[in-house]
Amino acid sequence: MTIDISTNTQKLDMDFIHHFLTRSYWAKKRTKQKVSTTTRNPLCFGVYLDNKQIGFARVLTDYTVFGYLMDLFIIEEQQGNGYSKLLMKAIMEHPDLQNISRWMLATSGAHKLYTQFGFTALPDPTKIMAKLITKSIT
């Protein structure tokens, strides 16, 4: 079995990514068009086992100061095999991301994975603000 992690967006299987994301707790309502749009500008990582996509992640970044890790997943059938760690390692070691001084992400259940790569809870969460849009704007 061969595992490959690639930033070649031409290899990404949008049907596969959309199918997984619409079953996740964080992206249930994303349309296929929205998923496609979200992969145009960030640095995207596909995870492939024997040339079949099994995972995905994207980093929204300016390549200098800020990187936001989003939509990281490995399909259920392949979880527990260390592929999410390989994906995180590939992201953290990617040459284009070495100058980032502030990384962020949001998770409800993968704290154990991310702490292995230096992520911690915000020391002062009162400094972080958000604006959440609950309805779609058409």
Side-chain angles (χ1 to χ4, degrees):
M1 294 190 334
T2 304
I3 190 81
D4 178 41
I5 299 174
S6 173
T7 57
N8 180 351
T9 56
Q10 299 301 314
K11 290 179 65 173
L12 294 175
D13 181 340
M14 286 301 149
D15 291 328
F16 166 80
I17 296 167
H18 178 253
H19 178 73
F20 185 91
L21 288 176
T22 56
R23 293 180 298 121
S24 73
Y25 68 86
W26 70 88
K28 287 183 192 239
K29 295 181 181 179
R30 281 192 208 157
T31 65
K32 189 172 178 185
Q33 179 60 42
K34 285 182 180 180
V35 170
S36 179
T37 299
T38 65
T39 63
R40 288 191 195 135
N41 295 311
L43 181 59
C44 296
F45 294 78
V47 183
Y48 306 90
L49 181 62
D50 295 330
N51 295 315
K52 181 180 178 192
Q53 190 164 2
I54 63 162
F56 175 76
R58 62 191 178 106
V59 177
L60 185 60
T61 184
D62 60 11
Y63 296 95
T64 303
V65 177
F66 186 76
Y68 193 87
L69 181 59
M70 306 170 79
D71 294 337
L72 188 145
F73 71 85
I74 300 294
I75 57 171
E76 293 90 348
E77 307 88 78
Q78 296 299 334
Q79 291 176 4
N81 293 319
Y83 299 138
S84 60
K85 289 180 190 176
L86 289 174
L87 176 54
M88 279 299 298
K89 185 176 186 312
I91 293 168
M92 294 292 107
E93 293 179 356
H94 192 281
D96 293 345
L97 304 176
Q98 295 311 297
N99 292 322
I100 296 173
S101 56
R102 179 176 300 241
W103 282 91
M104 294 190 75
L105 62 82
T107 186
S108 288
H111 296 78
K112 185 177 175 182
L113 169 66
Y114 299 121
T115 57
Q116 294 175 56
F117 292 89
F119 287 84
T120 61
L122 291 171
D124 185 358
T126 63
K127 291 182 179 181
I128 304 298
M129 296 178 69
K131 179 180 176 181
L132 302 176
I133 308 296
T134 57
K135 61 180 180 175
S136 294
I137 299 173
T138 55

